[in-house]
Amino acid sequence: MFKLCVCPGDGIGPEVTKSALAVFETIAKQAGIEYEINEALIGGAAIDATGEPFPEASKVTAMKSDAVFLGAVGGEKWNEMPVSLRPERGLLALRSTLETYANLRPVRMFAGLEDMSPLKADRMKNGIDMVIVRELTGGIYFGARQEGDNVASDEEKYSRKEVTRIAHVAFHTAQTRDKRVTSVDKANVLASSRLWRRVMEEVALEYPDVALDHLYVDNAAMQLIRDPGQFDVMVTNNIFGDILSDEASVLVGSIGLLPSASIGESKALYEPIHGSAPDIAGQGKANPVAAILSMAMLCIHSLKRKDLAEQIEKAVSVVLERGERTGDLMQPGCEIRTTEQLTEAIVREIAK
Ligand code: NAD
């Protein structure tokens, strides 16, 4: 029995979660997968109900589950709360509870959406279909910190163990795709990057079917704009991944299209990369695709059913190309759909 913990959260979170669940239930029933869904409070919704952004009961539900799905958290209503009680704290607590060390962000250009990209068409002649694998629990964000009036420092430190496990995630991911890994570092300057590069080379020997190459981070930032179609899987450390994944996310047209997965030793968290979008919450304007594609990632990484993920991705692709769109992707000749209508169209396509 597959146990899914669902945390809808705030703003458009519950709306897009409903869409993702409709898709999950359709695909699970079709594939004969037995499942149990347990809802947990997080963010502002949890603060309103219990006074805390990630209450103990939610932690217990998350830890008992095989995977966690999160909508989004946050909103103006809770902006005046002390920092330790803000909705975003709930999300950080959830991530650290699950100990997810690898963040995966696929970036894909859907057919028919090329004009939504800030890049000129000739930059995308090879399309865009890549996954950024970012190390999430080590490096400079967690290193020793010293903060004085005249001098301050932050330590970038990686162990062989930390690099090895993220390397395996990257190579495994590449095996399910085009079998190419680009490791991004700054090995011409940083000792931590030289260890990173050595370990990547060592782990690569275990994956003879996957090609590995290396790029310095400054070059990687340029190449993402110059020719994003050249990449399959890009693996990098915490800080470089933070910056490069945001850079890559603007290439495909709307933040409402981008899913993510965060993988740990035994737990995984799936969530759209967007926030709670208070400006459009409750109006049926949210694009559900990022949340729905996060469920496709769950099929790959938690259910080990790439075939089901492909079925979801194909349905999304067909519906978007047909011109059924939420407002964020409006173009001449397209037809506007609410969150619910777009979800129904995708579910119908899956059920075909
Ligand atoms: P946001 O991602 O919520 O919204 C940015 C812009 O993108 C808005 O104009 C919004 O309408 C639009 N947008 C976002 N998702 C969309 C979708 N699915 N469909 C159509 N349009 C969409 O970022 P923000 O405005 O900076 O933050 C709003 C709140 O969300 C804040 O409280 C912030 O702290 C929180 N936040 C939460 C997460 C998370 O839960 N993972 C991530 C980022 C921000």
Side-chain angles (χ1 to χ4, degrees):
M1 173 78 75
F2 183 75
K3 287 194 182 134
L4 177 62
C5 168
V6 171
C7 305
D10 311 312
I12 62 168
E15 300 168 47
V16 298
T17 299
K18 199 171 158 203
S19 302
L21 277 181
V23 166
F24 175 77
E25 294 189 12
T26 306
I27 208 103
K29 277 183 193 136
Q30 230 181 49
I33 294 167
E34 286 188 33
Y35 61 89
E36 176 187 305
I37 293 174
N38 293 298
E39 206 167 294
L41 288 167
I42 196 164
I47 295 171
D48 287 351
T50 69
E52 289 174 52
F54 188 52
E56 186 60 26
S58 298
K59 190 172 172 176
V60 171
T61 307
M63 285 309 283
K64 275 193 195 152
S65 306
D66 298 304
V68 179
F69 180 91
L70 175 102
V73 299
E76 208 155 300
K77 182 177 171 192
W78 305 280
N79 278 354
E80 301 309 314
M81 307 278 301
V83 173
S84 66
L85 288 176
R86 296 271 289 271
E88 293 75 11
R89 280 288 154 147
L91 182 50
L92 295 179
L94 172 63
R95 287 178 182 154
S96 76
T97 296
L98 299 175
E99 293 182 52
T100 49
Y101 60 82
N103 180 248
L104 279 69
R105 275 203 201 180
V107 181
R108 174 177 176 196
M109 173 59 73
F110 284 97
L113 293 185
E114 294 82 358
D115 289 346
M116 304 295 301
S117 174
L119 292 189
K120 288 186 190 146
D122 72 315
R123 300 271 173 219
M124 292 181 297
K125 52 187 183 303
N126 297 326
I128 306 177
D129 186 357
M130 64 179 296
V131 178
I132 299 185
V133 179
R134 167 188 170 194
E135 202 291 327
L136 206 57
T137 52
I140 201 163
Y141 295 160
F142 295 91
R145 224 177 294 291
Q146 285 187 329
E147 200 157 358
D149 274 346
N150 298 314
V151 181
S153 67
D154 304 275
E155 185 182 41
E156 168 79 357
K157 185 171 166 181
Y158 270 104
S159 67
R160 171 174 288 276
K161 183 180 163 215
E162 286 171 312
V163 184
T164 303
R165 66 185 184 180
I166 192 80
H168 282 294
V169 173
F171 284 101
H172 273 305
T173 304
Q175 279 184 322
T176 67
R177 299 173 44 92
D178 200 33
K179 301 186 172 54
R180 292 181 292 122
V181 170
T182 302
S183 172
V184 173
D185 61 35
K186 191 72 184 169
N188 49 344
V189 181
L190 302 176
S192 54
S193 279
R194 285 192 284 276
L195 174 68
W196 178 281
R197 196 175 273 222
R198 272 202 309 279
V199 175
M200 285 290 156
E201 292 282 352
E202 286 168 21
V203 174
L205 298 175
E206 297 177 43
Y207 300 85
D209 54 329
V210 178
L212 169 69
D213 66 354
H214 305 273
L215 272 187
Y216 295 136
V217 62
D218 35 358
N219 191 10
M222 278 195 299
Q223 296 299 331
L224 269 177
I225 302 294
R226 208 185 58 79
D227 177 18
Q230 68 184 287
F231 297 113
D232 180 27
V233 174
M234 181 183 276
V235 60
T236 191
N237 70 7
N238 202 341
I239 186 167
F240 297 160
D242 189 3
I243 298 162
L244 294 177
S245 59
D246 270 18
E247 182 189 349
S249 70
V250 301
L251 302 177
V252 293
S254 168
I255 194 171
L257 292 171
L258 291 152
S260 80
S262 300
I263 313 282
E265 294 299 347
S266 60
K267 304 284 167 201
L269 171 66
Y270 301 90
E271 53 180 323
I273 75 157
H274 61 72
S276 58
D279 53 330
I280 55 167
Q283 301 167 42
K285 290 182 177 169
N287 188 339
V289 167
I292 289 170
L293 293 178
S294 299
M295 278 301 183
M297 296 192 79
L298 178 146
C299 292
I300 296 177
H301 299 282
S302 290
L303 293 175
K304 311 289 180 210
R305 292 288 304 264
K306 183 159 190 271
D307 58 321
L308 301 182
E310 283 170 353
Q311 218 183 323
I312 297 173
E313 286 161 7
K314 176 143 185 283
V316 167
S317 220
V318 166
V319 170
L320 291 178
E321 196 172 4
R322 205 156 59 204
E324 296 190 57
R325 311 270 178 89
T326 42
D328 54 317
L329 293 175
M330 250 321 111
Q331 285 176 298
C334 294
E335 283 184 35
I336 190 93
R337 295 284 183 264
T338 63
T339 310
E340 213 173 306
Q341 288 168 338
L342 193 67
T343 306
E344 281 165 8
I346 293 168
V347 165
R348 269 199 305 275
E349 203 57 46
I350 290 171
K352 265 186 190 167

